[in-house]
Amino acid sequence: MGYEGIRAMFEAYSRNKYTSTGVIQWMLNNAWPSVIWHLYDFYLRPGGGYFGAKKAMEPLHPCIRMMTVRFGL
């Protein structure tokens, strides 16, 4: 859930970056060991969300707008 959720959030932002105001990451890190909604864990090791954000924020990341079926970068 962490990888896919965070990746989708950052991909949606990158599609709309010139009209949206930004992204608020709720759980940057956890206060105790957990497996969801964080970029790095309690021990400061990168979690699944970190790698999802890294993949979504590539310099050249093609994505599709499902409502209009148009491609974008």
Side-chain angles (χ1 to χ4, degrees):
M1 182 158 125
Y3 178 86
E4 293 295 328
I6 301 291
R7 182 176 173 185
M9 180 175 63
F10 279 99
E11 283 178 348
Y13 168 71
S14 67
R15 277 195 311 268
N16 303 310
K17 63 184 165 190
Y18 298 113
T19 58
S20 66
T21 57
V23 173
I24 297 176
Q25 176 63 37
W26 172 245
M27 289 290 283
L28 187 60
N29 67 331
N30 289 329
W32 55 84
S34 177
V35 295
I36 60 171
W37 293 115
H38 63 277
L39 295 183
Y40 50 91
D41 67 2
F42 179 76
Y43 302 105
L44 302 179
R45 293 179 300 216
Y50 170 81
F51 295 105
K54 185 176 177 180
K55 179 69 176 170
M57 301 304 288
E58 293 175 325
L60 184 61
H61 187 79
C63 52
I64 185 170
R65 293 177 188 257
M66 295 303 289
M67 301 301 279
T68 60
V69 190
R70 291 179 24 204
F71 290 95
L73 295 177

